[in-house]
Amino acid sequence: MAGSSKSTFEVTIVASDRPVWTGRARSASVPATEGAMGILPDHEPVLVLTSKGTLSVVGEDGRHTDFPVSEGFVSFDSNKLTVAVDRCDGGESQADR
Amino acid sequence: MASQLAFKSRISSTSALAKIFNAQEMIASSHIAKARKVALDAKPYSDAIFEAVQALVAHADDINHPIVKKNEKNPRVAVLALTADRGMAGAYTSSIIRETETLLDKLDKSGRQPELFVYGRRGVSYYKYRNRDIARTWEGDTDKPGVERAEEIAGTLLDAYMAPADKGGVSELYIVFTEFVNMVVQKVRVLRMLPLELVPADDAAGAVDSPRPDEAEHGMTPIYRFEPSADKVLDSVLPKYIQGRIHECLLTAAASETASRQNAMHTATDNANSLIDELTRKLNASRQASITQELTEIIGSADALNKEEE
């Protein structure tokens, strides 16, 4: 995979009591307060408030992973997506989906 | 020299105590790994929030949010002391109380009126016993504070901070807590939580001692686009930031409490064991002395009998 670092970006999902998931992704969809928002590599730096909903991430290998999240915010800069939410259920059994 | 019986009873009572100390130490060490993990687990979240706040500050030239703006006129300040629920943790609570007293003195002298908030049964009973005014107390779970507890404390303190001065509002918030450096070193720290010093502090005026390593030079911050708007993001992120920081303080304090308890109990076990050794030596010496005395008496009387027969 030539230039894999260009076509993917780093994702870090953290809840207030624990880190939930870290990895590389091809794309992500976040439940922003004003409608869902898709994120692809090299997106412009944004800081978005999110509402309760589902965060989906398409991993490096093309697998979909869904995270039910509560209110929080998402920031994206220099190809790094950081999702900080109050609470996030699941995240452990995501690998085998 | 005391009787052998007295030594024996002291040895048995000391070894019973040693067993208790040892058990306490083992309980503490089983808790500490957990407490440390919880504390480390919460760090990425507060780091993420911190970065977001930094980005907001870099974006907006002049943030007028009350959490950032200092209200100089109001002399009332809040002090939150994080102490332990239970004792047997060495100097944990007393160091916190000593540091809190120093801070209160300092604030008093600079013409401000500190209001005391205490978390932890030991600290509460210390101040209640001395009939000191406490604004609000929380008890329980100091060794494993959850997010809910942090929400409660942060909510109360933010309410006090946001309230107008004539309704009992405060203009600053200090937190006295114990920082977990490692298993053997825990440091008492005073942190000025509110108002936030977001901009590279020009001279850190008013900050008693608030070293925040993560607030150091942050390099270039990218220019963000904010959705729905920078103000709304600020309104939502700043209280979260405060809550996250308070939670972080609670968690490091809990890890420190468990670590000091383990250290204290380890020392107590060691002391009990060396006391037992010393007492056993004395017991042996006293037993040997009594045997020697009996022998001398027997030999002496045997000699006397032999002489009579000659």
Side-chain angles (χ1 to χ4, degrees):
Chain A
M1 263 172 85
S4 67
S5 63
K6 282 282 173 206
S7 61
T8 60
F9 55 92
E10 209 183 315
V11 179
T12 312
I13 304 172
V14 292
S16 55
D17 53 351
R18 70 200 169 98
V20 180
W21 191 76
T22 312
R24 298 200 70 86
R26 286 189 200 163
S27 72
S29 161
V30 298
T33 44
E34 306 199 325
M37 180 180 177
I39 301 223
L40 288 170
D42 293 327
H43 195 286
E44 68 168 329
V46 281
L47 217 163
V48 183
L49 289 183
T50 61
S51 48
K52 199 171 156 61
T54 309
L55 167 82
S56 23
V57 177
V58 181
E60 210 172 6
D61 50 5
R63 273 195 298 192
H64 277 263
T65 315
D66 286 348
F67 300 92
V69 294
S70 65
E71 295 84 9
F73 66 91
V74 164
S75 74
F76 188 88
D77 72 83
S78 28
N79 257 348
K80 190 173 186 301
L81 180 74
T82 309
V83 181
V85 291
D86 290 348
R87 277 173 200 86
C88 176
D89 303 320
E92 271 96 1
S93 60
Q94 304 293 334
D96 46 36
R97 264 203 218 173
Chain B
M1 193 168 277
S3 79
Q4 292 175 42
L5 211 61
F7 280 128
K8 275 180 187 158
S9 86
R10 277 194 71 189
I11 288 172
S12 78
S13 65
T14 313
S15 50
L17 279 174
K19 270 181 203 153
I20 295 171
F21 296 147
N22 197 27
Q24 289 279 358
E25 184 194 340
M26 287 200 277
I27 292 168
S29 38
S30 79
H31 282 176
I32 191 150
K34 222 159 126 196
R36 241 170 89 196
K37 190 182 170 297
V38 172
L40 287 176
D41 275 358
K43 199 158 174 9
Y45 178 78
S46 46
D47 285 353
I49 291 192
F50 181 74
E51 273 166 31
V53 172
Q54 281 286 330
L56 282 160
V57 172
H59 171 83
D61 301 328
D62 184 27
I63 295 181
N64 254 341
H65 200 278
I67 286 183
V68 183
K69 214 175 51 187
K70 195 175 172 187
N71 180 5
E72 299 273 9
K73 282 174 222 150
N74 186 357
R76 294 150 68 89
V77 295
V79 174
L80 171 68
L82 302 181
T83 67
D85 268 344
R86 296 187 297 132
M88 298 212 281
Y92 178 78
T93 298
S94 42
S95 328
I96 286 284
I97 287 173
R98 196 171 53 232
E99 197 63 36
T100 310
E101 289 298 305
T102 317
L103 176 66
L104 292 180
D105 264 4
K106 213 165 168 180
L107 290 172
D108 262 337
K109 276 183 192 136
S110 64
R112 278 173 282 185
Q113 305 164 6
E115 270 188 34
L116 193 58
F117 294 78
V118 185
Y119 178 40
R121 205 165 292 137
R122 302 285 293 185
V124 173
S125 56
Y126 176 92
Y127 284 108
K128 284 229 169 105
Y129 180 73
R130 282 160 184 79
N131 280 328
R132 301 277 289 270
D133 288 332
I134 318 180
R136 171 95 196 256
T137 62
W138 295 272
E139 290 180 23
D141 287 343
T142 56
D143 50 353
K144 43 176 186 332
V147 184
E148 296 75 23
R149 176 71 67 177
E151 261 170 32
E152 196 184 324
I153 293 178
T156 309
L157 292 171
L158 271 177
D159 283 350
Y161 180 77
M162 299 302 260
D166 53 347
K167 281 185 187 149
V170 295
S171 64
E172 284 183 316
L173 165 64
Y174 293 89
I175 295 187
V176 187
F177 72 109
T178 313
E179 190 191 25
F180 183 88
V181 181
N182 56 40
M183 285 297 288
V184 273
V185 181
Q186 293 94 35
K187 255 189 183 161
V188 178
R189 281 252 154 111
V190 179
L191 183 76
R192 202 191 70 169
M193 184 68 76
L194 286 170
L196 278 178
E197 266 179 67
L198 295 169
V199 279
D202 32 58
D203 58 344
V208 175
D209 172 26
S210 57
R212 275 195 245 158
D214 49 357
E215 210 178 37
E217 316 304 312
H218 214 257
M220 288 217 303
T221 322
I223 305 299
Y224 283 90
R225 191 159 57 84
F226 298 97
E227 281 184 24
S229 71
D231 285 346
K232 281 200 178 132
V233 174
L234 201 63
D235 274 351
S236 145
V237 170
L238 281 182
K240 276 195 210 303
Y241 177 67
I242 299 297
Q243 186 192 320
R245 284 208 70 96
I246 289 180
H247 191 209
E248 202 184 310
C249 289
L250 292 184
L251 291 176
T252 36
S256 309
E257 179 191 334
T258 319
S260 5
R261 178 161 299 129
Q262 195 208 351
N263 284 339
M265 286 302 110
H266 185 79
T267 318
T269 314
D270 283 355
N271 285 346
N273 284 335
S274 63
L275 190 59
I276 290 171
D277 285 351
E278 194 189 317
L279 287 172
T280 312
R281 249 194 309 278
K282 279 185 183 163
L283 169 69
N284 290 346
S286 110
R287 193 187 58 216
Q288 194 56 53
S290 69
I291 291 170
T292 313
Q293 195 188 347
E294 261 178 60
L295 278 178
T296 326
E297 279 164 10
I298 291 166
I299 293 166
S301 49
D303 273 355
L305 283 175
N306 281 341
K307 268 181 195 149
E308 274 173 28
E309 276 171 21
E310 276 166 17

